[in-house]
Amino acid sequence: MNGSMTALRARIDDFWQQRSAQERRTLLLAAVAVVLMLGYQFVWTPIQQAAQRESARLAAAQDLAQFSARARGVLSRATPVAAPQSGTNLPPMLWVEQAARKMGIQDALIQRQPDGDDRVQLKFAAVPFETLVQWLMQAHAAGLSVLRADITPQNGDAAHPAGRVDASLVLSRANES
């Protein structure tokens, strides 16, 4: 192995000595350019990409923090809800339809799916967050409980003003767990 390295080094030295001064300068400049390009590709580019990913994560965390602060404000202004009324005999699906119409969010309720007699799965799109919270408080007062809630804030733009959310919910009668 050592002999092959010595032979390789001798061949490189011979090659180098056979070049003119101008060729040696050109080869040195080319070697420096290759080292710089490799450094950019394998060092700088991954650092930039990692910084961009972290910047995007920070922006998402800040958006979530702002959404949470708005949600805390809405919940703190909300009126207390009375204890659930055990006498509500409406099936959850029927109550959902009537309450959504009454609150004016029937158009935002894009999917309704009964899950047995006492459960219903719902999807809302671009529903005002405050209205959704009030609607959920009414559901609680009517004896319904939220088994699952996935609420995603929408980015405010011209088509969807700020303060709107997409939500997937599963409601059931409060006595069911």
Side-chain angles (χ1 to χ4, degrees), residues 19-37:
R19 303 295 133 215
S20 68
Q22 185 177 6
E23 287 176 323
R24 288 182 201 162
R25 267 193 313 268
T26 303
L27 287 172
L28 279 174
L29 288 174
V32 168
V34 167
V35 167
L36 289 174
M37 288 187 332

Side-chain angles (χ1 to χ4, degrees), residues 86-155:
S86 58
T88 303
N89 292 330
L90 287 178
M93 189 68 164
L94 183 57
W95 183 90
V96 163
E97 293 290 336
Q98 290 177 354
R101 206 171 315 114
K102 184 177 178 182
M103 293 289 293
I105 57 173
Q106 70 274 9
D107 292 338
L109 183 57
I110 59 171
Q111 185 176 342
R112 311 148 185 83
Q113 182 175 344
D115 187 7
D117 290 337
D118 292 335
R119 285 188 182 183
V120 62
Q121 296 177 12
L122 309 169
K123 284 192 181 180
F124 288 91
V127 64
F129 180 70
E130 288 189 34
T131 306
L132 180 64
V133 169
Q134 291 170 354
W135 185 81
L136 287 171
M137 290 186 325
Q138 287 181 4
H140 177 71
L144 298 175
S145 62
V146 178
L147 296 180
R148 192 187 85 226
D150 296 318
I151 299 174
T152 307
Q154 288 193 334
N155 295 333

Side-chain angles (χ1 to χ4, degrees), residues 66-79:
Q66 288 175 349
F67 174 76
S68 297
R70 283 194 308 269
R72 239 184 338 272
V74 168
L75 292 174
S76 68
R77 289 189 310 268
T79 56

Side-chain angles (χ1 to χ4, degrees), residues 10-26:
R11 290 182 71 199
I12 291 173
D13 285 342
D14 283 344
F15 174 80
W16 189 255
Q17 294 304 322
Q18 291 175 1
R19 303 295 133 215
S20 68
Q22 185 177 6
E23 287 176 323
R24 288 182 201 162
R25 267 193 313 268
T26 303

Side-chain angles (χ1 to χ4, degrees), residues 155-162 164:
N155 295 333
D157 59 18
H160 304 96
R164 293 187 179 260

